[in-house]
Amino acid sequence: MDVKIEESWKDALKEEFDKEYFMRLTAFVRNEYRQHTCYPPGNEIFNAFNLCPLNNVKVVILGQDPYHGAGQAEGLCFSVKTGIPLPPSLVNIFKEVKEDIGTVPAIVKDAQGKNMYDGSLRRWAQQGVFLLNTCLSVREHMAFSHSRQGWETFTDAVIKKVSDSQEHVVFLLWGGPARQKRKIIDTTKHYVLESVHPSPLSANRGGWFGNHHFSRCNKWLEAHGLAPINW
């Protein structure tokens, strides 16, 4: 199957694209986008791959499924388009970044012309942070509506491909579903950091704030001769 995706990923995943489950998944997704409003836009489903070629991957962050509100999702986990109000999980991510290493996102204007933080994480992706959701599409206002259709099988194969083919990658696993992926990762050569999910329900119970994942990640990268991420 000819999938429109960045060339290094296309080559690495070509066998996956020809499997029966992926063909069924493709038919399902195409039908959903024809009959319903779905996110992200069709040409952004593989944004995480297109913005971060396989050989550039230094960090993997796993999300669940895309934001299902209008104008939010852009094919990168936890990320929203520039100028869109920050979802609560992203607010908590930025709070931990600030507390951990002292940096904050760029200031942009919202639709009313007011200052706000830029919620687009494209700047992370372009530095080698692979922002992967376990499901890559969703129907509007229906969380997990595209789950159990094959996306999880595909993204598990993607995680394993990164683990097998790359060296010294940092995997940031936040929340129960993401932490279950540890078993796919070769922990003898990669660094896995786990914590609760940054959503308010989980973060406010303890375990998110003060996890220092961002500084710990950069220390690992630098120790292995890789440039740290400008979070």
Side-chain angles (χ1 to χ4, degrees):
M1 177 176 290
D2 185 26
V3 178
K4 294 182 179 178
I5 193 171
E6 190 273 333
E7 285 300 318
S8 66
W9 286 109
K10 189 171 187 176
D11 183 63
L13 299 170
K14 57 188 175 185
E15 293 182 4
E16 213 65 28
F17 295 142
D18 288 332
K19 291 182 178 178
E20 186 177 344
Y21 88 85
F22 192 84
M23 295 182 184
R24 290 197 304 268
L25 169 63
T26 300
F28 167 79
V29 171
R30 285 175 176 167
N31 188 60
E32 282 285 294
Y33 273 73
R34 277 196 300 265
Q35 296 190 9
H36 307 280
T37 300
C38 297
Y39 302 114
N43 64 351
E44 296 183 350
I45 289 175
F46 292 109
N47 249 5
F49 301 80
N50 296 332
L51 293 173
C52 186
L54 178 57
N55 289 337
N56 289 3
V57 175
K58 297 193 291 187
V59 182
V60 177
I61 300 178
L62 296 177
Q64 295 180 25
D65 63 344
Y67 297 121
H68 50 77
Q72 291 181 300
E74 60 173 353
L76 307 170
C77 72
F78 295 107
S79 179
V80 292
K81 293 178 182 290
T82 297
I84 296 295
L86 305 185
S89 292
L90 188 55
V91 170
N92 285 340
I93 290 170
F94 286 161
K95 283 181 179 178
E96 177 58 22
V97 170
K98 183 178 180 180
E99 289 300 314
D100 188 15
I101 58 177
T103 61
V104 296
I107 300 294
V108 295
K109 301 288 186 181
D110 66 11
Q112 287 72 45
K114 296 180 180 178
N115 287 342
M116 62 170 292
Y117 285 140
D118 184 2
S120 176
L121 303 180
R122 286 172 174 260
R123 62 188 182 278
W124 290 5
Q126 290 163 347
Q127 296 177 72
V129 182
F130 186 46
L131 296 160
L132 180 68
N133 277 313
T134 52
C135 285
L136 301 188
S137 60
V138 69
R139 193 188 297 184
E140 185 175 41
H141 303 317
M142 292 181 64
F144 306 113
S145 50
H146 289 184
S147 65
R148 300 182 181 178
Q149 298 293 332
W151 277 134
E152 295 91 343
T153 301
F154 173 70
T155 51
D156 277 2
V158 171
I159 295 166
K160 189 172 189 307
K161 179 63 68 173
V162 173
S163 177
D164 291 349
S165 67
Q166 304 305 301
E167 302 290 333
H168 311 310
V169 173
V170 182
F171 288 83
L172 303 181
L173 308 182
W174 302 335
R179 296 170 84 165
Q180 291 176 11
K181 307 301 182 184
R182 184 186 182 99
K183 61 182 179 290
I184 307 173
I185 301 163
D186 183 350
T187 56
T188 66
K189 65 174 181 174
H190 302 299
Y191 188 31
V192 177
L193 293 171
E194 302 181 42
S195 84
V196 300
H197 195 273
S199 66
L201 183 63
S202 298
N204 293 337
R205 291 175 179 168
W208 169 257
F209 296 109
N211 65 31
H212 300 292
H213 277 194
F214 304 98
S215 60
R216 292 165 69 187
C217 171
N218 278 350
K219 286 177 182 177
W220 167 271
L221 294 176
E222 290 180 300
H224 291 86
L226 299 168
I229 304 300
N230 180 7
W231 299 106

